[in-house]
């Protein structure tokens, strides 16, 4: 007893005159790295966590977190939107860092300048984008760091279907390498959008990643349950390149790339990892993808059979497409983003396939967030670039863009008990940080709730946290997230987005 009193005296003696900038008091603090899961007070000074204590801490500002969970902010390795509304919809579900690693962009330096001018609420970053390099090499243009560059290129087929000549391969590789030299977070390889590339091209990208000490992030070449040109073949190609070169190669959305063959893919991943191959894996918790309607995977005579799909599997806005509409968009507006339903979550067998990927211990959660878009009066689909909040009613996206992380907490943790809270938090914060930290030093202080770490923190109510977005109306914010701090600053306070909050910092490799 005396020891407790003297400790209390010591603590009050050292902290009574000094108040921390901010204290989150009395919450259930979960740190997936140390295994801490207990009621604690967390103090923040500046942009860092300064103290974590069982005893009361003095703060200039106090956030009462009684009954709530305090966890590291969620880190999304796979998100495409680049407008302030995209980042805000992620922030209100607890995401504090959002990275475009799968598609990547080019040129990287220009992209970071553009994003920096947007005064973003959460941290941002991107990989060097191979598809941008490939489009540039085949079209004889310079890559632009905009999604429009990628969308406009959907009407050309050469970069999707042809093996590069030696000259073109040189240009592709030099553009990608320039992106790494400008601080890109690795190499984004959207292979499924250009499945005609040669084996040597992908191998060269793996070697480049190895030489620069970075990872590749691949949407694999094929998504098909039928051989040849199957999901199995595509993931085996990736693992083979990782094994031979020693490069760290990350598999994007194994759920949608595997379709109904997920168990074979997860078995292959397990065997490869057990043999020391440096691969990491992500999934998003939905049975539908979002992609351009002119994507190469929806071409050729047999794509319907290979992907078990008809026009009915495609959704644009609230409606499913007819065969006539699908043919029209593919011919005239192939860069249009559509939702493609590959599993039906209402069917228990389909849901079990999705659950197998989401709950696998080797699989981290990444949203594959996509731009908020709207129909113009003449029927075109444009990305919403405005800063209205809440987002205007007319905008639509995939529900994962506002609900992927909240859905894991609601459905997988609370409602169905398929994951523990600490497992879910690990998969959404620590694992993504660890995926990058060998070559992105900034990530070593993220994904952890420990003294000295970045104050990227989310406080949520485990009983009410939920996604509300549906395929018919994705434009519904997640609920139950009460506080989000990014670099020590409020982005969500008392459950409301702080409109002028702009503490987001670039996540970027050093460029000296
Ligand atoms: Zn993808």
């Amino acid at each position: 007893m005396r020891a407790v009193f003297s400790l209390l005296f010591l603590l009050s003696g050292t902290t009574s005159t000094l108040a921390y900038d901010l204290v989150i008091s009395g919450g259930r603090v979960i740190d997936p790295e140390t295994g801490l899961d207990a009621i604690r007070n967390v103090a923040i000074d500046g942009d860092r966590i300064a103290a974590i204590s069982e005893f009361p801490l003095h703060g200039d500002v106090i956030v009462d977190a009684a009954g709530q969970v305090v966890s590291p902010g969620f880190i999304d390795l796979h998100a495409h939107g680049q407008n302030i509304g995209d980042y805000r919809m992620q922030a209100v579900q607890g995401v504090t860092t959002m990275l475009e690693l799968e598609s990547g962009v080019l040129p990287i330096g220009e992209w970071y300048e553009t994003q920096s001018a947007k005064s973003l609420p959460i941290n941002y970053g991107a990989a060097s984008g191979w598809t941008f390099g490939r489009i540039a090499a085949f079209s004889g243009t310079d890559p632009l760091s905009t999604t429009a560059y990628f969308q406009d290129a959907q009407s050309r087929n050469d970069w999707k279907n042809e093996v590069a000549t030696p000259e073109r391969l040189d240009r592709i590789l030099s553009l990608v390498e320039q992106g790494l030299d400008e601080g890109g977070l690795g190499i984004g390889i959207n292979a499924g959008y250009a499945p005609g590339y040669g084996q040597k091209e992908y191998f060269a990208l793996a070697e480049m990643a190895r030489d620069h000490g970075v990872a590749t992030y691949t949407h694999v070449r094929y998504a098909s349950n039928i051989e040849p040109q199957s999901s199995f073949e595509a993931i085996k190609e990736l693992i083979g390149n990782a094994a031979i070169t020693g490069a760290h190669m990350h598999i994007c959305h194994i759920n949608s790339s595997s379709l109904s063959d997920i168990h074979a893919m997860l078995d292959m991943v397990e065997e490869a990892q057990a043999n020391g191959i440096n691969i990491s894996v992500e999934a998003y918790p939905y049975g539908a993808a979002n992609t351009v309607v002119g994507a190469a995977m929806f071409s050729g005579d047999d794509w319907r059979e290979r992907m078990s799909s008809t026009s009915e599997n495609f959704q644009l806005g609230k409606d499913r497409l007819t065969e006539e509409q699908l043919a029209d968009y593919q011919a005239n507006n192939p860069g249009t983003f559509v939702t493609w339903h590959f599993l039906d979550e209402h069917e228990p067998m389909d849901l079990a396939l999705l659950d197998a990927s989401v709950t696998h211990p080797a699989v981290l959660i990444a949203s594959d967030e996509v731009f908020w878009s709207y129909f113009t009066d003449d029927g075109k689909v444009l990305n919403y670039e405005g800063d209205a909040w809440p987002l205007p009613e007319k905008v639509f996206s995939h529900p994962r863009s506002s609900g992927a992380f909240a859905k894991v907490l609601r459905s997988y943790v609370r409602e169905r008990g398929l994951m523990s809270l600490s497992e879910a938090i690990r998969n959404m914060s620590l694992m993504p940080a660890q995926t990058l930290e060998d070559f992105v030093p900034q990530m070593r202080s993220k994904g952890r709730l420990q003294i000295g770490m970045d104050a990227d923190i989310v406080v949520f109510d485990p009983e009410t946290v939920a996604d509300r977005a549906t395929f018919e109306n994705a434009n519904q914010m997640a609920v139950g997230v009460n506080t989000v701090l990014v670099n020590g600053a409020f982005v969500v306070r008392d459950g409301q987005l702080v409109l002028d909050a702009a503490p987001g910092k670039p996540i970027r490799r050093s460029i000296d």
Side-chain angles (χ1 to χ4, degrees), residues 31-36 449-450:
D31 176 53
E33 189 169 54
T34 60
L36 175 68
L449 219 156
Q450 298 162 29

Side-chain angles (χ1 to χ4, degrees), residues 471-492:
F471 287 106
E472 285 63 44
N473 186 8
N475 184 7
Q476 302 186 82
M477 294 173 225
V479 293
V481 173
N482 298 299
T483 303
V484 176
L485 299 178
V486 174
N487 299 307
F490 283 103
V491 169
V492 173

Side-chain angles (χ1 to χ4, degrees), residues 78 80 102 190 193 219 252-253 256 290 368:
H78 185 159
H80 299 296
E102 181 212 41
N190 226 331
Y193 290 81
H219 170 146
C252 293
H253 48 53
S256 59
N290 188 281
D368 200 355

Side-chain angles (χ1 to χ4, degrees), residues 112-136:
Y112 275 101
E113 274 175 39
T114 305
Q115 294 311 94
S116 153
K118 292 178 183 172
S119 298
L120 297 173
I122 65 177
N123 304 311
Y124 55 92
S128 183
W130 165 76
T131 46
F132 285 66
R134 206 162 210 276
I135 293 164

Side-chain angles (χ1 to χ4, degrees), residues 55-353:
F55 302 105
L57 299 170
H58 297 279
D60 291 335
V61 176
I62 303 284
V63 172
D64 178 6
Q68 314 224 357
V69 170
V70 183
S71 103
F74 307 139
I75 297 169
D76 195 349
L77 298 187
H78 185 159
H80 299 296
Q82 292 163 22
N83 300 307
I84 191 162
D86 296 285
Y87 293 92
R88 284 172 165 175
M89 276 302 232
Q90 291 266 52
V92 296
Q93 60 165 332
V95 175
T96 52
T97 297
M98 165 167 149
L99 308 175
E100 164 55 282
L101 300 184
E102 181 212 41
S103 285
V105 291
L106 279 178
I108 284 288
E110 185 181 295
W111 183 85
Y112 275 101
E113 274 175 39
T114 305
Q115 294 311 94
S116 153
K118 292 178 183 172
S119 298
L120 297 173
I122 65 177
N123 304 311
Y124 55 92
S128 183
W130 165 76
T131 46
F132 285 66
R134 206 162 210 276
I135 293 164
F138 276 85
S139 62
T141 58
D142 289 324
L144 293 176
S145 63
T146 63
T147 308
Y149 184 76
F150 179 74
Q151 287 178 284
D152 292 345
Q154 295 305 320
S155 53
R156 297 180 66 99
N157 284 320
D158 49 1
W159 68 273
K160 300 178 190 173
N161 299 330
E162 291 177 23
V163 173
T165 60
E167 296 72 32
R168 279 188 174 140
L169 184 55
D170 273 354
R171 175 126 203 268
I172 295 166
L173 295 177
S174 75
L175 284 167
V176 171
E177 189 155 41
Q178 191 184 334
L180 293 180
D181 291 341
E182 293 177 13
L185 302 174
I187 306 175
I189 305 177
N190 226 331
Y193 290 81
Y197 65 83
Q199 290 267 333
K200 289 182 178 174
E201 184 168 340
Y202 195 15
F203 190 77
L205 293 168
E207 287 187 316
M208 186 190 295
R210 190 255 341 263
D211 292 346
H212 284 259
V214 299
T216 62
Y217 315 93
T218 306
H219 170 146
V220 295
R221 192 197 294 246
Y222 306 123
S224 166
N225 299 320
I226 298 170
E227 292 199 89
Q229 303 190 344
S230 63
S231 304
F232 188 87
E233 182 178 330
I235 289 177
K236 190 167 137 283
E237 175 186 42
L238 178 152
I239 294 172
N241 282 345
I244 298 164
T245 63
H248 172 182
M249 299 185 76
H250 179 81
I251 302 171
C252 293
H253 48 53
I254 196 164
N255 54 313
S256 59
S257 286
S258 304
L259 304 178
S260 58
D261 211 10
I262 185 69
H263 292 291
M265 304 312 144
L266 291 171
D267 288 351
M268 189 156 44
V269 164
E270 278 179 32
E271 276 193 72
Q273 288 183 332
N275 283 304
I277 313 298
N278 194 359
I279 52 171
S280 48
V281 191
E282 62 168 64
Y284 57 80
Y286 295 87
N290 188 281
T291 182
V292 285
V293 70
M297 57 187 139
F298 306 127
S299 65
D301 296 336
D302 58 348
W303 71 265
R304 286 175 174 78
E305 185 189 358
R306 296 167 60 78
M307 309 186 77
S308 308
S309 287
T310 68
S311 66
E312 267 285 290
N313 294 69
F314 294 83
Q315 182 171 353
L316 180 59
K318 291 182 183 356
D319 301 317
R320 300 296 179 110
L321 295 187
T322 63
E323 290 294 338
E324 293 69 36
Q325 286 173 316
L326 177 61
D328 181 50
Y329 276 109
Q330 286 191 321
N332 301 313
N333 284 297
T336 305
F337 279 91
V338 292
T339 296
W340 167 52
H341 295 265
F342 57 89
L343 295 175
D344 180 351
E345 291 170 55
H346 298 102
E347 292 291 333
M349 300 258 285
D350 279 9
L351 183 59
L353 294 171

